PDB file of all heavy atoms in Angstrom:
ATOM      1  N   ARG W 322     -38.676  90.767 112.217  1.00 98.00           N
ATOM      2  CA  ARG W 322     -39.254  90.621 113.582  1.00 98.00           C
ATOM      3  C   ARG W 322     -40.005  89.241 113.584  1.00 98.00           C
ATOM      4  O   ARG W 322     -40.607  88.852 112.596  1.00 98.00           O
ATOM      5  CB  ARG W 322     -40.415  91.713 113.838  1.00 98.00           C
ATOM      6  CG  ARG W 322     -40.793  91.736 115.252  1.00 98.00           C
ATOM      7  CD  ARG W 322     -41.644  92.954 115.479  1.00 98.00           C
ATOM      8  NE  ARG W 322     -42.938  92.945 114.610  1.00 98.00           N
ATOM      9  CZ  ARG W 322     -44.127  92.455 115.187  1.00 98.00           C
ATOM     10  NH1 ARG W 322     -44.205  92.331 116.440  1.00 98.00           N
ATOM     11  NH2 ARG W 322     -45.067  92.485 114.397  1.00 98.00           N
ATOM     12  N   TRP W 323     -39.652  88.467 114.685  1.00 98.00           N
ATOM     13  CA  TRP W 323     -40.021  86.982 114.683  1.00 98.00           C
ATOM     14  C   TRP W 323     -41.061  86.885 115.928  1.00 98.00           C
ATOM     15  O   TRP W 323     -40.425  87.031 117.051  1.00 98.00           O
ATOM     16  CB  TRP W 323     -38.723  86.216 114.832  1.00 98.00           C
ATOM     17  CG  TRP W 323     -38.902  84.730 114.808  1.00 98.00           C
ATOM     18  CD1 TRP W 323     -38.976  83.946 115.954  1.00 98.00           C
ATOM     19  CD2 TRP W 323     -38.691  83.813 113.703  1.00 98.00           C
ATOM     20  NE1 TRP W 323     -39.102  82.541 115.573  1.00 98.00           N
ATOM     21  CE2 TRP W 323     -38.752  82.647 114.159  1.00 98.00           C
ATOM     22  CE3 TRP W 323     -38.594  84.088 112.336  1.00 98.00           C
ATOM     23  CZ2 TRP W 323     -38.812  81.450 113.324  1.00 98.00           C
ATOM     24  CZ3 TRP W 323     -38.429  82.910 111.514  1.00 98.00           C
ATOM     25  CH2 TRP W 323     -38.647  81.653 112.003  1.00 98.00           C
ATOM     26  N   GLU W 324     -42.204  86.658 115.663  1.00 97.00           N
ATOM     27  CA  GLU W 324     -43.117  86.645 116.718  1.00 97.00           C
ATOM     28  C   GLU W 324     -43.827  85.248 116.801  1.00 97.00           C
ATOM     29  O   GLU W 324     -44.618  84.880 116.025  1.00 97.00           O
ATOM     30  CB  GLU W 324     -44.245  87.670 116.624  1.00 97.00           C
ATOM     31  CG  GLU W 324     -45.151  87.843 117.678  1.00 97.00           C
ATOM     32  CD  GLU W 324     -46.467  88.644 117.341  1.00 97.00           C
ATOM     33  OE1 GLU W 324     -46.722  88.970 116.262  1.00 97.00           O
ATOM     34  OE2 GLU W 324     -47.241  88.838 118.285  1.00 97.00           O
ATOM     35  N   GLU W 325     -43.510  84.425 117.819  1.00 97.00           N
ATOM     36  CA  GLU W 325     -44.074  83.140 118.016  1.00 97.00           C
ATOM     37  C   GLU W 325     -45.562  83.290 118.626  1.00 97.00           C
ATOM     38  O   GLU W 325     -45.653  83.718 119.627  1.00 97.00           O
ATOM     39  CB  GLU W 325     -43.218  82.313 118.872  1.00 97.00           C
ATOM     40  CG  GLU W 325     -41.978  81.665 118.200  1.00 97.00           C
ATOM     41  CD  GLU W 325     -41.362  80.515 118.949  1.00 97.00           C
ATOM     42  OE1 GLU W 325     -42.145  79.707 119.610  1.00 97.00           O
ATOM     43  OE2 GLU W 325     -40.144  80.376 118.814  1.00 97.00           O
ATOM     44  N   LEU W 326     -46.592  82.759 117.910  1.00 95.00           N
ATOM     45  CA  LEU W 326     -47.859  82.950 118.288  1.00 95.00           C
ATOM     46  C   LEU W 326     -48.334  81.482 118.971  1.00 95.00           C
ATOM     47  O   LEU W 326     -49.200  81.488 119.825  1.00 95.00           O
ATOM     48  CB  LEU W 326     -48.774  82.992 117.159  1.00 95.00           C
ATOM     49  CG  LEU W 326     -48.573  84.320 116.172  1.00 95.00           C
ATOM     50  CD1 LEU W 326     -49.629  84.253 115.136  1.00 95.00           C
ATOM     51  CD2 LEU W 326     -48.652  85.524 117.077  1.00 95.00           C
ATOM     52  N   LEU W 327     -47.691  80.482 118.574  1.00 95.00           N
ATOM     53  CA  LEU W 327     -48.131  79.114 119.060  1.00 95.00           C
ATOM     54  C   LEU W 327     -47.005  78.117 119.164  1.00 95.00           C
ATOM     55  O   LEU W 327     -46.154  78.146 118.092  1.00 95.00           O
ATOM     56  CB  LEU W 327     -49.292  78.631 118.287  1.00 95.00           C
ATOM     57  CG  LEU W 327     -49.930  77.330 118.598  1.00 95.00           C
ATOM     58  CD1 LEU W 327     -51.438  77.526 118.536  1.00 95.00           C
ATOM     59  CD2 LEU W 327     -49.534  76.236 117.600  1.00 95.00           C
ATOM     60  N   SER W 328     -46.881  77.414 120.207  1.00 96.00           N
ATOM     61  CA  SER W 328     -45.959  76.271 120.237  1.00 96.00           C
ATOM     62  C   SER W 328     -46.488  75.137 121.087  1.00 96.00           C
ATOM     63  O   SER W 328     -46.830  75.331 122.258  1.00 96.00           O
ATOM     64  CB  SER W 328     -44.643  76.889 120.886  1.00 96.00           C
ATOM     65  OG  SER W 328     -43.715  75.815 121.013  1.00 96.00           O
ATOM     66  N   ARG W 329     -46.857  74.132 120.300  1.00 96.00           N
ATOM     67  CA  ARG W 329     -47.433  73.006 120.997  1.00 96.00           C
ATOM     68  C   ARG W 329     -46.608  71.728 120.751  1.00 96.00           C
ATOM     69  O   ARG W 329     -46.286  71.566 119.666  1.00 96.00           O
ATOM     70  CB  ARG W 329     -48.859  72.791 120.513  1.00 96.00           C
ATOM     71  CG  ARG W 329     -49.746  73.996 120.814  1.00 96.00           C
ATOM     72  CD  ARG W 329     -51.045  73.726 121.374  1.00 96.00           C
ATOM     73  NE  ARG W 329     -50.915  72.700 122.539  1.00 96.00           N
ATOM     74  CZ  ARG W 329     -51.020  73.307 123.815  1.00 96.00           C
ATOM     75  NH1 ARG W 329     -51.118  74.596 124.066  1.00 96.00           N
ATOM     76  NH2 ARG W 329     -51.029  72.437 124.837  1.00 96.00           N
ATOM     77  N   PRO W 330     -46.375  70.960 121.860  1.00 97.00           N
ATOM     78  CA  PRO W 330     -45.557  69.838 121.599  1.00 97.00           C
ATOM     79  C   PRO W 330     -46.401  68.774 120.948  1.00 97.00           C
ATOM     80  O   PRO W 330     -47.656  68.773 120.960  1.00 97.00           O
ATOM     81  CB  PRO W 330     -45.184  69.383 123.056  1.00 97.00           C
ATOM     82  CG  PRO W 330     -46.372  70.021 123.843  1.00 97.00           C
ATOM     83  CD  PRO W 330     -46.801  71.275 123.284  1.00 97.00           C
ATOM     84  N   ALA W 331     -45.724  67.710 120.458  1.00 98.00           N
ATOM     85  CA  ALA W 331     -46.428  66.515 119.941  1.00 98.00           C
ATOM     86  C   ALA W 331     -46.983  65.806 121.167  1.00 98.00           C
ATOM     87  O   ALA W 331     -46.444  65.921 122.356  1.00 98.00           O
ATOM     88  CB  ALA W 331     -45.333  65.614 119.326  1.00 98.00           C
ATOM     89  N   VAL W 332     -48.083  65.212 121.033  1.00 98.00           N
ATOM     90  CA  VAL W 332     -48.953  64.676 122.139  1.00 98.00           C
ATOM     91  C   VAL W 332     -49.338  63.181 121.849  1.00 98.00           C
ATOM     92  O   VAL W 332     -50.027  63.066 120.724  1.00 98.00           O
ATOM     93  CB  VAL W 332     -50.207  65.513 122.552  1.00 98.00           C
ATOM     94  CG1 VAL W 332     -51.057  64.850 123.553  1.00 98.00           C
ATOM     95  CG2 VAL W 332     -49.812  66.865 122.968  1.00 98.00           C
ATOM     96  N   ALA W 333     -49.055  62.327 122.659  1.00 98.00           N
ATOM     97  CA  ALA W 333     -49.499  60.958 122.479  1.00 98.00           C
ATOM     98  C   ALA W 333     -50.801  60.797 122.937  1.00 98.00           C
ATOM     99  O   ALA W 333     -51.160  61.407 124.001  1.00 98.00           O
ATOM    100  CB  ALA W 333     -48.540  60.035 123.319  1.00 98.00           C
ATOM    101  N   MET W 334     -51.676  60.035 122.375  1.00 98.00           N
ATOM    102  CA  MET W 334     -53.071  59.776 122.829  1.00 98.00           C
ATOM    103  C   MET W 334     -52.840  58.826 124.049  1.00 98.00           C
ATOM    104  O   MET W 334     -51.984  58.006 124.101  1.00 98.00           O
ATOM    105  CB  MET W 334     -54.002  59.173 121.690  1.00 98.00           C
ATOM    106  CG  MET W 334     -54.316  60.257 120.701  1.00 98.00           C
ATOM    107  SD  MET W 334     -55.337  61.604 121.170  1.00 98.00           S
ATOM    108  CE  MET W 334     -54.128  62.879 121.634  1.00 98.00           C
ATOM    109  N   ASP W 335     -53.862  58.712 124.921  1.00 98.00           N
ATOM    110  CA  ASP W 335     -53.852  57.879 126.006  1.00 98.00           C
ATOM    111  C   ASP W 335     -53.947  56.427 125.711  1.00 98.00           C
ATOM    112  O   ASP W 335     -54.947  55.934 124.950  1.00 98.00           O
ATOM    113  CB  ASP W 335     -54.913  58.313 127.060  1.00 98.00           C
ATOM    114  CG  ASP W 335     -54.953  57.408 128.291  1.00 98.00           C
ATOM    115  OD1 ASP W 335     -54.057  57.632 129.098  1.00 98.00           O
ATOM    116  OD2 ASP W 335     -55.945  56.523 128.390  1.00 98.00           O
ATOM    117  N   PRO W 336     -52.985  55.576 126.041  1.00 98.00           N
ATOM    118  CA  PRO W 336     -52.893  54.173 125.628  1.00 98.00           C
ATOM    119  C   PRO W 336     -54.144  53.387 126.136  1.00 98.00           C
ATOM    120  O   PRO W 336     -54.779  52.568 125.324  1.00 98.00           O
ATOM    121  CB  PRO W 336     -51.719  53.621 126.310  1.00 98.00           C
ATOM    122  CG  PRO W 336     -50.913  54.746 126.763  1.00 98.00           C
ATOM    123  CD  PRO W 336     -51.780  56.000 126.902  1.00 98.00           C
ATOM    124  N   GLN W 337     -54.618  53.682 127.337  1.00 98.00           N
ATOM    125  CA  GLN W 337     -55.841  52.919 127.916  1.00 98.00           C
ATOM    126  C   GLN W 337     -57.107  53.313 127.232  1.00 98.00           C
ATOM    127  O   GLN W 337     -57.913  52.372 126.801  1.00 98.00           O
ATOM    128  CB  GLN W 337     -55.890  53.149 129.348  1.00 98.00           C
ATOM    129  CG  GLN W 337     -56.099  51.940 130.226  1.00 98.00           C
ATOM    130  CD  GLN W 337     -56.186  52.416 131.702  1.00 98.00           C
ATOM    131  OE1 GLN W 337     -55.541  53.259 132.268  1.00 98.00           O
ATOM    132  NE2 GLN W 337     -57.025  51.694 132.411  1.00 98.00           N
ATOM    133  N   LEU W 338     -57.313  54.543 127.086  1.00 98.00           N
ATOM    134  CA  LEU W 338     -58.597  54.963 126.381  1.00 98.00           C
ATOM    135  C   LEU W 338     -58.565  54.628 124.896  1.00 98.00           C
ATOM    136  O   LEU W 338     -59.690  54.189 124.341  1.00 98.00           O
ATOM    137  CB  LEU W 338     -58.844  56.461 126.519  1.00 98.00           C
ATOM    138  CG  LEU W 338     -60.287  56.991 126.106  1.00 98.00           C
ATOM    139  CD1 LEU W 338     -61.345  56.263 126.851  1.00 98.00           C
ATOM    140  CD2 LEU W 338     -60.209  58.507 126.285  1.00 98.00           C
ATOM    141  N   SER W 339     -57.402  54.735 124.288  1.00 98.00           N
ATOM    142  CA  SER W 339     -57.236  54.240 122.910  1.00 98.00           C
ATOM    143  C   SER W 339     -57.433  52.834 122.702  1.00 98.00           C
ATOM    144  O   SER W 339     -58.030  52.355 121.818  1.00 98.00           O
ATOM    145  CB  SER W 339     -55.782  54.650 122.416  1.00 98.00           C
ATOM    146  OG  SER W 339     -55.660  56.049 122.470  1.00 98.00           O
ATOM    147  N   ASN W 340     -57.046  52.005 123.732  1.00 98.00           N
ATOM    148  CA  ASN W 340     -57.266  50.558 123.621  1.00 98.00           C
ATOM    149  C   ASN W 340     -58.740  50.203 123.826  1.00 98.00           C
ATOM    150  O   ASN W 340     -59.243  49.309 123.081  1.00 98.00           O
ATOM    151  CB  ASN W 340     -56.436  49.969 124.888  1.00 98.00           C
ATOM    152  CG  ASN W 340     -56.309  48.442 124.674  1.00 98.00           C
ATOM    153  OD1 ASN W 340     -56.157  48.003 123.410  1.00 98.00           O
ATOM    154  ND2 ASN W 340     -56.306  47.695 125.694  1.00 98.00           N
ATOM    155  N   GLN W 341     -59.454  50.999 124.620  1.00 98.00           N
ATOM    156  CA  GLN W 341     -60.799  50.824 124.777  1.00 98.00           C
ATOM    157  C   GLN W 341     -61.483  51.120 123.346  1.00 98.00           C
ATOM    158  O   GLN W 341     -62.382  50.448 122.885  1.00 98.00           O
ATOM    159  CB  GLN W 341     -61.458  51.923 125.828  1.00 98.00           C
ATOM    160  CG  GLN W 341     -61.143  51.575 127.228  1.00 98.00           C
ATOM    161  CD  GLN W 341     -62.178  50.683 127.881  1.00 98.00           C
ATOM    162  OE1 GLN W 341     -62.865  50.095 127.069  1.00 98.00           O
ATOM    163  NE2 GLN W 341     -62.211  50.708 129.231  1.00 98.00           N
ATOM    164  N   LEU W 342     -61.063  52.097 122.802  1.00 98.00           N
ATOM    165  CA  LEU W 342     -61.662  52.569 121.454  1.00 98.00           C
ATOM    166  C   LEU W 342     -61.296  51.527 120.372  1.00 98.00           C
ATOM    167  O   LEU W 342     -62.200  51.232 119.513  1.00 98.00           O
ATOM    168  CB  LEU W 342     -61.119  54.004 121.099  1.00 98.00           C
ATOM    169  CG  LEU W 342     -61.560  54.598 119.813  1.00 98.00           C
ATOM    170  CD1 LEU W 342     -63.099  54.707 119.768  1.00 98.00           C
ATOM    171  CD2 LEU W 342     -60.884  56.000 119.666  1.00 98.00           C
ATOM    172  N   ARG W 343     -60.003  51.008 120.491  1.00 98.00           N
ATOM    173  CA  ARG W 343     -59.818  49.983 119.422  1.00 98.00           C
ATOM    174  C   ARG W 343     -60.631  48.798 119.629  1.00 98.00           C
ATOM    175  O   ARG W 343     -61.170  48.210 118.548  1.00 98.00           O
ATOM    176  CB  ARG W 343     -58.291  49.563 119.668  1.00 98.00           C
ATOM    177  CG  ARG W 343     -57.802  48.551 118.650  1.00 98.00           C
ATOM    178  CD  ARG W 343     -56.405  47.940 118.962  1.00 98.00           C
ATOM    179  NE  ARG W 343     -55.395  48.889 118.995  1.00 98.00           N
ATOM    180  CZ  ARG W 343     -54.817  49.636 120.105  1.00 98.00           C
ATOM    181  NH1 ARG W 343     -55.260  49.144 121.399  1.00 98.00           N
ATOM    182  NH2 ARG W 343     -53.983  50.433 120.083  1.00 98.00           N
ATOM    183  N   ARG W 344     -60.862  48.461 120.825  1.00 98.00           N
ATOM    184  CA  ARG W 344     -61.816  47.283 121.100  1.00 98.00           C
ATOM    185  C   ARG W 344     -63.208  47.627 120.660  1.00 98.00           C
ATOM    186  O   ARG W 344     -63.920  46.680 120.033  1.00 98.00           O
ATOM    187  CB  ARG W 344     -61.854  46.924 122.620  1.00 98.00           C
ATOM    188  CG  ARG W 344     -60.614  46.000 123.064  1.00 98.00           C
ATOM    189  CD  ARG W 344     -60.689  45.812 124.494  1.00 98.00           C
ATOM    190  NE  ARG W 344     -62.041  45.533 125.082  1.00 98.00           N
ATOM    191  CZ  ARG W 344     -62.504  45.845 126.229  1.00 98.00           C
ATOM    192  NH1 ARG W 344     -61.788  46.518 126.993  1.00 98.00           N
ATOM    193  NH2 ARG W 344     -63.664  45.448 126.592  1.00 98.00           N
ATOM    194  N   ALA W 345     -63.701  48.741 120.878  1.00 98.00           N
ATOM    195  CA  ALA W 345     -65.006  49.210 120.451  1.00 98.00           C
ATOM    196  C   ALA W 345     -65.151  49.086 118.849  1.00 98.00           C
ATOM    197  O   ALA W 345     -66.060  48.554 118.319  1.00 98.00           O
ATOM    198  CB  ALA W 345     -65.336  50.589 120.952  1.00 98.00           C
ATOM    199  N   ILE W 346     -64.092  49.600 118.141  1.00 98.00           N
ATOM    200  CA  ILE W 346     -64.163  49.502 116.713  1.00 98.00           C
ATOM    201  C   ILE W 346     -64.065  48.150 116.213  1.00 98.00           C
ATOM    202  O   ILE W 346     -65.015  47.830 115.370  1.00 98.00           O
ATOM    203  CB  ILE W 346     -62.842  50.449 116.191  1.00 98.00           C
ATOM    204  CG1 ILE W 346     -62.963  51.909 116.693  1.00 98.00           C
ATOM    205  CG2 ILE W 346     -62.909  50.313 114.608  1.00 98.00           C
ATOM    206  CD1 ILE W 346     -61.622  52.581 116.411  1.00 98.00           C
TER     207      ILE W 346
END
Side-chain angles (χ1 to χ4, degrees):
R322 192 167 67 99
W323 185 270
E324 185 195 7
E325 277 196 38
L326 303 181
L327 178 134
S328 175
R329 300 230 45 101
V332 174
M334 294 293 94
D335 181 70
Q337 227 179 322
L338 189 59
S339 298
N340 197 32
Q341 290 268 21
L342 180 55
R343 182 187 299 104
R344 279 178 42 215
I346 300 167

